[in-house]
Amino acid sequence: MFNTFKNSLLITTICLIGLVAVPATGLAKKATEAAISLVDGVTVAPNGDIYIAQRDHNIVTRVDAKGMIHTVAGTGKSGFSGDGGPATKALLKMPAGLHFDKAGNLYIADRENNRVRKIDSKGIITTVAGNGTAGFSGDGGPATKASISLPSGVVTDSKGNLYLSDRSNNRIRKVDSQGKISTYAGNGNEGYFGDNGPALKATLDKPFGLAMDPKDNLYIADRGNNRIRKVTPNGIITTAGGDGGFYFIGDNGPAYRASFAGPTGVALDSKGNLYIADNYNNRIRVIDNLGMIRTFAGTGTQEYNGDSEVARETNLRKPFAIAIDQNDNLIIADRSHYRIRRIDPQGSKVETVAGDGIKLFGGDGGPATGARLNFPHGILVDDKDNVIFSDKAHFRIRQISPDGIISTIAGNGRRGNIGDGGPALEASVYPTYLAKNKKGEIYFMSPSGFVSIVRKFTPGGNIDLALSTGDKKYQKVITTGEHVGASSKSNIVAITQFSDILPDGKGNLIIADRINHQLRRFDTSGRFTTIAGTGESGYHGDGGPAKEAAFRDPRTLEMDDAGNIYVGDAANNVIRKIDPKGRITTIAGNNKFADTGDGGPALEAGIKSIDDLVMSPSGELHIVESGTHAIRKIAKDGTISTVAGRLGIQGYFGDGGPATKAMLKTPTCLAFDSKGNMYITDMGNNRIRKVDTKGIITTLAGSGHFGWANEGEEVQIYFQNFP
C-alpha cells in the first residue's frame, strides 16, 4: 500500500534562525496537502517559520517560507530518548506547548514525559526541566532533578528565564538562567483564589498556555477556572479576563465580565492586544489595551466552511494553541479541523498554512509505535513479513511493514459489512479473527447480529463475501445428515456461530461451529461437509474417528505442515488433534480449569483458556490464553511452558526484557514471521507486542491509548488529572 512516510522523498534542509543554521529533516510535501494530527502547540521562529506540536504522532514539524512541511523533532514513536543527539532522532511523548527564546532555542513541553526539552541552534535536544517522574518536587534545586506533572505551556522572559505551566500541579514553575527551579505562581491547590495578592498564595486550575509581554508580565490560560490570569514581575496575580462561567457572553464589554469555555492558549501582539483561544466556544477572543473584549475569529459554529475573507465569518473547531508572527499575523491551531490557520489582522483574511483537514488516522503513514490502536484482535504475517492485524474497534485491517510503518489496507472506519464487490478501503468492516490462504487472500470473521460472516479481500485490494451462517447450503448441512447439533434442532431457525476459519492449503476452508460443537469443510465447489463432532456437548471419542467425537466449544483451529488439524476444545480445557486420516486424540490439557503444569507433560497441564492456536516455524504449537494473560507452548517432546506473560497476572510491563517476565493484558491472537519472531495482539493494552527469537519482548505498534470519538477528538482515559 502507498504510504506517505515510505514513499515521500526525505530531504535535509537548513532552517535559518537569526544567523544560525539548524538542521532539520522532513517530508518534501506541501504543508496544505499534509494530513496532521491533533495539535497542542504552535510557535513562530525568528525567521517566520511556523512550528507545530503534533501530539498524536509525537513529533514537532516546521512549515517553511515556501509552505513545505518538515519534521524537526521526534521520530513518531512514543517514548523518551535522544538527549544529547539530533532532535530528529529523539523520542517525544505527546508534545504540547512550544516557544522560541531570543537566542533561537526551541523549547518543547514534552507533556507525558513530564519534561521540558530544548533544541539548540544546531538541532541538538536536551532536557532542561523534569526528571521524568510525574509529581511535585525539587524547588530550589536543579530543574532537571525536579518532578513536574504534565507540563503544557512554555515561555521565556526578557532575562532568559524559562516559565512552564506545571499543569497537573496547578502551578507555574520558573527555571532561572542557572538551571534552578522554583514555583512562580500557584500554591498547588486546585481552585480560584488569591487575586490582587502574591501569586505564590493563589490557586490555579489546570493552567495551560502562557504568554509574556515586553514588561515581563506573565499571562496564563487558567483553563479550569475559565479565566486568563496575569502575574506581574513583582509577583502579584490578577484576572485579566473571564468571570469563571463556562459559556459565551461578554463581547464588546469589560473582559472581566466575559465568560470563556476552557481557554487553552494566549498570545500578545506588538500593540499589546491579548488573544485567547476560547477552546469550547470555537472562537478566538481578543482583549485590547483598555480591557475590552471581542471575538476576533470564529462564529461559534464548528462545521468547516473554508477560509473566509473575514475572520469573524470563518468557523473554527476547538482552536487550541495560538501564536503571533513578526507581522502581527495570528497563527491558530484549528485543532479539530486538522488545520493551521493564519489571519492577517489588517484585512482579517484567513489562510490555511498547514493541514488538509484530514486527520492522519491514528498513526497511518508513520511509525507503528506511535499509532493508536483500539482492541487489536486477529493477526497474521504475509509472505513479505508484513504484519497484518484487525484493529477491531477502529473498524479497519491494518498493516505494519518490515520497516515499521503502519497503514490501513481494509476498512473505512465505519462498523458494518457493506462494500462487497468493491475496494476494501471503501468498505465498512468489523474484523476479528484473520486467516490467509496460499494465494495471499485474507479471510476475516465479521460478526453481524445473530449471523456470522466470513469476508475476504484479495492482494489487489478488493473485498467480497466468502460465506455466512445464513447461507442456505450451510443451513442445510447443519440440520441434516448423520449428526445434527442440538442448537440446529430449533423449530424456528438453526442456531450456529463461526468461531474460527482455517484455510487448509488445498483451497478449502475448515470452519469451527462453536455452538453446535462441530467442524465443517467448505470446499472449492461450494459444498459443506461435517468433518468432526457429533453435535452433542461432551468429551469423548479419542482414538477413533473425529466425526464420532464430542466437543464443547471448539473455539480455535490450526494446521501443521503434515496436515494435522489442531482444535482448541475450549470448554473441555483440552487441545485435540485430528490426523489426515480423520482420527482424533488429545495432546494437551487435563480437563481442569486451572493454570498448572509448566515444565511437565502438556497432557497433565491445566489450561484455563484457549483463544488461539498457532504453529511456529520450528513446529511448536503455541496457545494464546486471553483469560490467563499469557502465551504457552507445547514443545516437540510434549512438555508445556509459558513463553510470554505471567500466568494469571495482567498489566503492561517488561518491554526490553525477557517475555516470560513481562505482563500482557488479554492477549488474543498471535503470528510468526519467517525469521521466527512472534507477534501478539495485546488487546487490553491496545498494542502489538513482538517477542524476538531470543525471547525479548518489545512493543511493535500502539501507544497504549484508545482511539478517538466519532467527532474526531481522541478519547483519553486518565485516572487522575483529567486534561
Side-chain angles (χ1 to χ4, degrees), residues 248 251 278 280-285 295-306 308 310-319 334 337 341 343 350:
F248 173 72
D251 267 8
D278 195 356
Y280 286 96
N281 279 324
N282 299 305
R283 290 175 166 91
I284 303 297
R285 316 276 286 279
T295 293
F296 178 74
T299 65
T301 301
Q302 64 184 20
E303 285 73 19
Y304 179 71
N305 66 348
S308 172
V310 181
R312 284 288 301 269
E313 296 178 1
T314 297
N315 293 345
L316 303 175
R317 187 175 184 184
K318 304 291 192 303
D334 192 359
H337 280 149
R341 319 285 280 273
I343 302 177
V350 180

Side-chain angles (χ1 to χ4, degrees), residues 69-253:
I69 192 166
H70 315 274
T71 299
V72 296
T75 66
K77 296 181 180 180
S78 174
F80 173 74
S81 72
D83 274 3
T88 50
K89 295 183 179 180
L91 299 186
L92 307 175
K93 194 170 185 181
M94 294 187 74
L98 303 174
H99 175 74
F100 274 97
D101 66 14
K102 291 182 178 179
N105 299 301
L106 174 64
Y107 293 88
I108 306 168
D110 194 358
R111 193 168 87 156
E112 291 208 354
N113 276 324
N114 298 298
R115 292 175 167 93
V116 175
R117 318 277 289 273
K118 181 180 83 171
I119 304 174
D120 67 17
S121 58
K122 296 179 181 179
I124 302 302
I125 192 169
T126 54
T127 294
V128 295
N131 60 18
T133 301
F136 175 72
S137 70
D139 273 3
T144 52
K145 294 184 178 180
S147 289
I148 59 180
S149 187
L150 301 182
S152 300
V154 282
V155 73
T156 55
D157 64 16
S158 61
K159 299 173 184 177
N161 299 305
L162 172 70
Y163 301 80
L164 61 103
S165 53
D166 196 355
R167 199 210 70 165
S168 292
N169 282 322
N170 298 303
R171 290 175 165 94
I172 305 300
R173 312 282 288 276
K174 174 184 174 181
V175 182
D176 66 20
S177 57
Q178 303 302 311
K180 188 172 292 186
I181 194 169
S182 60
T183 296
Y184 189 73
N187 62 17
N189 295 319
E190 182 179 294
Y192 175 67
F193 171 79
D195 270 5
N196 303 308
L200 285 169
K201 294 184 179 180
T203 55
L204 305 172
D205 190 352
K206 304 296 184 294
F208 212 92
L210 302 176
M212 189 76 70
D213 72 13
K215 296 180 180 180
D216 286 345
N217 293 298
L218 176 69
Y219 294 85
I220 307 165
D222 195 359
R223 185 180 184 184
N225 281 321
N226 301 302
R227 290 175 166 95
I228 306 302
R229 311 287 285 276
K230 173 184 173 182
V231 182
T232 64
N234 60 352
I236 302 300
I237 193 168
T238 55
T239 293
D243 63 1
F246 185 85
Y247 37 81
F248 173 72
I249 61 169
D251 267 8
N252 304 312

Side-chain angles (χ1 to χ4, degrees), residues 393-668:
H394 280 155
F395 317 122
R396 288 171 164 91
I397 296 174
R398 302 173 80 178
Q399 173 178 287
I400 305 167
S401 64
D403 59 358
I405 303 301
I406 192 169
S407 60
T408 295
I409 60 174
N412 59 16
R414 292 188 290 273
R415 177 174 176 169
N417 290 286
I418 299 172
D420 289 340
L425 283 168
E426 297 177 9
S428 60
V429 300
Y430 187 43
T432 57
Y433 290 96
L434 302 180
K436 179 178 66 70
N437 65 18
K438 288 188 174 181
K439 296 179 181 179
E441 297 170 325
I442 295 175
Y443 295 88
F444 63 95
M445 306 282 294
S446 188
S448 179
F450 292 106
V451 178
S452 289
I453 291 175
V454 177
R455 303 170 79 185
K456 76 172 180 180
F457 67 96
T458 66
N462 289 320
I463 196 167
D464 223 329
L465 176 67
L467 61 137
S468 83
T469 55
D471 186 282
K472 291 183 178 180
K473 290 182 179 179
Y474 192 76
Q475 289 283 314
K476 182 178 180 180
V477 76
I478 67 173
T479 55
T480 61
E482 185 178 357
H483 297 300
V484 176
S487 297
S488 301
K489 298 175 182 178
S490 167
N491 292 326
I492 301 173
V493 63
I495 302 172
T496 184
Q497 184 185 73
F498 299 148
S499 57
D500 201 6
I501 45 175
L502 174 69
D504 68 358
K506 300 176 182 178
N508 308 307
L509 289 180
I510 310 300
I511 308 156
D513 179 349
R514 63 182 303 180
I515 291 181
N516 287 303
H517 315 294
Q518 294 172 308
L519 307 186
R520 298 188 175 85
R521 179 184 292 113
F522 177 58
D523 66 25
T524 54
S525 66
R527 183 178 56 187
F528 294 95
T529 54
T530 299
I531 63 170
T534 62
E536 63 184 302
S537 176
Y539 177 63
H540 64 72
D542 276 2
K547 291 177 68 173
E548 302 299 326
F551 298 89
R552 290 178 62 211
D553 189 9
R555 187 172 300 175
T556 181
L557 305 172
E558 177 61 310
M559 179 177 285
D560 64 19
D561 292 339
N564 297 298
I565 298 172
Y566 298 86
V567 185
D569 195 353
N572 281 322
N573 303 109
V574 298
I575 297 169
R576 302 170 83 176
K577 181 177 80 171
I578 304 172
D579 68 21
K581 295 181 179 180
R583 192 167 298 274
I584 190 167
T585 53
T586 295
I587 65 163
N590 60 12
N591 295 112
K592 294 179 181 179
F593 183 73
D595 295 317
T596 60
D598 270 9
L603 279 167
E604 297 177 8
I607 306 175
K608 186 176 281 188
S609 65
I610 307 169
D611 295 277
D612 196 18
L613 295 176
V614 179
M615 191 68 68
S616 72
S618 61
E620 295 177 314
L621 186 66
H622 288 65
I623 312 161
V624 179
E625 298 193 45
S626 296
T628 301
H629 315 290
I631 311 297
R632 300 169 84 181
K633 78 171 182 180
I634 303 171
K636 291 181 180 180
D637 64 2
T639 58
I640 192 168
S641 61
T642 298
V643 294
R646 306 181 189 180
L647 286 171
I649 300 174
Q650 62 175 305
Y652 174 67
F653 173 78
D655 274 4
T660 51
K661 294 183 179 180
M663 291 183 188
L664 307 173
K665 187 177 181 181
T666 321
T668 308

Side-chain angles (χ1 to χ4, degrees), residues 20-38:
V20 185
V22 176
T25 301
L27 300 174
K29 188 177 183 70
K30 290 186 65 176
T32 52
E33 296 177 357
I36 62 176
S37 74
L38 294 174

